């Protein structure tokens, strides 16, 4: 029988009996739970179920209704995502004031490089509204005069547009567990450092102050721990000795857009999986189809640590040298040459 993995997410205040109630409901309808994960952060409870609904003894609409009724009874929000709900996935882009990452996403979408549609742009300032309007994408400013976002409005918009993926295109705010838990492993952020180095704010400034010779950017899944989510893609660049902060940003921003765009494509292609806080390519995915990091830059392949191999290589080289000697060389000549070589200072 073909398996159909359906994701069910439950979010609400932490209380007794939530897990038992929902798992019982699924069991009674012939649904096998393949994976269950739960967590509590800042008083917010989250449970994510992956269930095989291929053999369930009810319709999808009936299951949705039953889950919604139980959610209302337990005063929790319930999201159900069937594998074939729709062919085209929907992206919500969260932004602040910097345009380069949003431009890259729009450009790829306009050129049919994304297997999804950008359904909405949500920001905490209105600076990028003209860019969204150019591509005829709805734009919402959910920030106050200081840029502090209204997360309730943000959540309502994400639900209204029924998004499959949330992309933080230099969104300069931290998402609370109430948002992250609802879209776990479905929020991708771009951070301007080679994580885990320099997490948090002002990453380029941190890199300059520490005097690093190589800096970079990281696209990663968002978790409730700041800038510690599973890494998807990275890019790096050299830092000149006298580089200014503006020069670091100039070098890094194109790579931010590139790494974020590739991470989004990997997610949409279902090419990566997350397990125990790390991403890996799924079976059958050809690594050569993606850059992931620096790509093929011709790294040297010697020397490689390993005393046995090193000694073997030395022996082979000596044997080859001996084979090339003239047949009328004597053992005494060889010993004399070796002694002379041993007493000659090295350069």
């Amino acid at each position: 029988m073909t398996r159909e993995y359906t994701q069910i997410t439950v979010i609400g205040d932490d209380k007794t009996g939530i897990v038992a109630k929902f798992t019982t409901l699924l069991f009674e309808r012939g649904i096998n739970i393949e994976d269950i994960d739960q967590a509590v952060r800042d008083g917010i409870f989250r449970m994510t179920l992956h269930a095989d609904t291929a053999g369930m003894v009810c319709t999808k609409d009936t299951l949705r209704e039953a889950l919604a009724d139980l959610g209302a009874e337990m005063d929790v929000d319930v999201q159900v995502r069937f594998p074939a709900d729709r062919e085209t996935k929907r992206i919500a882009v969260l932004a602040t004031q910097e345009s380069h990452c949003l431009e890259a996403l729009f450009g790829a979408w306009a050129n049919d490089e994304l297997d999804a549609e950008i359904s909405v742009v949500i920001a905490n300032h209105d600076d990028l509204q003209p860019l969204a309007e150019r591509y005829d994408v709805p734009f919402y400013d959910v920030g106050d005069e200081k840029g502090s976002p209204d997360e309730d409005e943000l959540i309502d918009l994400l639900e209204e547009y029924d998004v499959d993926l949330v992309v933080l295109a230099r969104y300069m705010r931290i998402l609370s567990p109430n948002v992250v838990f609802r879209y776990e492993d479905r929020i991708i952020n771009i951070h301007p450092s080679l994580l885990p180095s320099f997490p948090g704010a002002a990453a380029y400034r941190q890199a300059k102050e520490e005097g690093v010779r190589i800096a970079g950017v990281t696209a990663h899944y968002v978790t409730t721990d700041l800038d510690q989510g599973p890494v998807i893609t990275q890019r790096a660049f050299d830092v000149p000795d006298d580089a200014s902060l503006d020069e670091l940003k100039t070098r890094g921003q194109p790579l931010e857009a590139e790494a974020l765009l590739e991470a989004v494509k990997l997610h949409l292609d279902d090419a990566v999986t997350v397990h125990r806080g790390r991403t890996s390519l799924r079976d059958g995915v050809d690594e050569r189809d993606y850059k992931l990091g620096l790509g093929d830059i011709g790294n040297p392949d010697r020397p490689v640590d390993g005393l046995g191999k090193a000694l073997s290589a030395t022996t082979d080289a000596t044997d080859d040298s001996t084979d090339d000697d003239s047949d009328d060389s004597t053992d005494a000549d060889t010993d004399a040459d070796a002694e002379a070589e041993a007493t000659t200072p090295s350069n």
Side-chain angles (χ1 to χ4, degrees):
M1 179 183 294
T2 303
R3 294 183 175 183
E4 295 184 3
Y5 291 112
T6 297
Q7 180 176 304
I8 302 167
T9 303
V10 179
I11 305 288
D13 293 336
D14 187 24
K15 62 186 70 175
T16 302
I18 297 178
V19 176
K21 289 274 190 178
F22 279 92
T23 54
T24 299
L25 183 152
L26 297 178
F27 171 75
E28 290 174 346
R29 288 156 179 79
I31 297 170
N32 184 43
I33 298 172
E34 298 282 349
D35 180 70
I36 181 171
D37 183 52
Q38 54 189 307
V40 178
R41 191 69 178 262
D42 297 340
I44 303 296
F45 170 84
R46 185 269 303 159
M47 176 175 66
T48 302
L49 289 159
H50 291 94
D52 180 10
T53 53
M56 66 180 180
V57 293
C58 65
T59 65
K60 290 181 179 180
D61 289 340
T62 300
L63 178 60
R64 287 186 193 274
E65 183 177 350
L67 288 169
D69 289 344
L70 180 56
E73 175 188 330
M74 301 293 294
D75 194 23
V76 294
D77 292 337
V78 182
Q79 298 175 344
V80 185
R81 300 175 70 239
F82 287 99
D85 274 352
R86 57 172 166 265
E87 294 182 1
T88 302
K89 296 179 180 177
R90 298 176 181 174
I91 297 174
V93 181
L94 273 56
T96 296
Q97 293 173 305
E98 297 182 10
S99 66
H100 54 286
C101 288
L102 182 56
E103 286 185 84
L105 291 166
F106 274 143
W109 180 44
N111 292 323
D112 294 325
E113 296 174 14
L114 292 182
D115 188 20
E117 67 175 23
I118 299 178
S119 299
V120 62
V121 175
I122 307 170
N124 59 327
H125 291 281
D126 62 3
D127 300 60
L128 301 180
Q129 184 168 355
L131 182 57
E133 290 176 346
R134 184 193 308 171
Y135 288 90
D136 198 26
V137 173
F139 179 93
Y140 296 89
D141 176 7
V142 298
D144 60 18
E145 63 278 0
K146 295 182 179 179
S148 298
D150 183 335
E151 279 208 342
D152 289 337
E153 184 179 358
L154 171 61
I155 291 172
D156 288 344
L157 287 169
L158 295 177
E159 292 179 351
E160 177 184 342
Y161 283 90
D162 195 17
V163 301
D164 300 286
L165 176 65
V166 180
V167 180
L168 309 188
R170 299 298 284 136
Y171 180 66
M172 310 297 285
R173 293 287 174 172
I174 297 173
L175 296 175
S176 76
N178 198 27
V179 178
V180 175
F181 279 165
R182 295 168 188 270
Y183 298 93
E184 195 153 19
D185 295 339
R186 292 191 287 143
I187 306 177
I188 297 177
N189 180 51
I190 184 67
H191 183 74
S193 81
L194 290 173
L195 292 174
S197 297
F198 313 131
Y204 286 135
R205 184 180 297 279
Q206 292 183 62
K208 177 175 171 54
E209 290 175 350
E210 292 296 329
V212 300
R213 298 302 186 186
I214 296 176
V217 304
T218 303
H220 65 98
Y221 284 112
V222 173
T223 66
T224 53
D225 296 313
L226 180 62
D227 294 331
Q228 295 183 41
V231 171
I232 308 172
T233 60
Q234 292 184 302
R235 299 289 188 272
F237 60 90
D238 288 330
V239 179
D241 186 60
D242 58 349
S244 66
L245 182 58
D246 285 342
E247 186 172 354
L248 261 64
K249 291 181 179 180
T250 299
R251 289 180 175 228
Q253 285 181 346
L255 298 180
E256 292 173 24
E258 180 182 308
L260 179 61
L261 182 57
E262 183 183 52
V264 169
K265 290 179 178 178
L266 282 159
H267 179 91
L268 294 174
D269 293 344
D270 199 26
V272 289
T273 181
V274 179
H275 180 65
R276 294 185 176 179
R278 295 186 60 180
T279 61
S280 59
L281 295 179
R282 293 188 183 276
D283 292 343
V285 175
D286 191 340
E287 185 173 348
R288 293 170 297 182
D289 293 337
Y290 303 95
K291 193 172 180 182
L292 300 180
L294 288 175
D296 184 8
I297 59 172
N299 284 329
D301 61 359
R302 293 291 184 275
V304 177
D305 187 41
L307 183 59
K309 292 182 179 179
L311 292 176
S312 175
T314 303
T315 302
D316 292 342
T318 303
D319 291 343
D320 292 342
S321 175
T322 302
D323 291 341
D324 291 339
D325 287 343
S326 175
D327 289 341
D328 57 0
S329 298
T330 64
D331 291 341
D333 291 338
T334 303
D335 292 341
D337 290 341
E339 182 178 356
E341 182 178 352
T343 57
T344 301
S346 61
N347 292 327

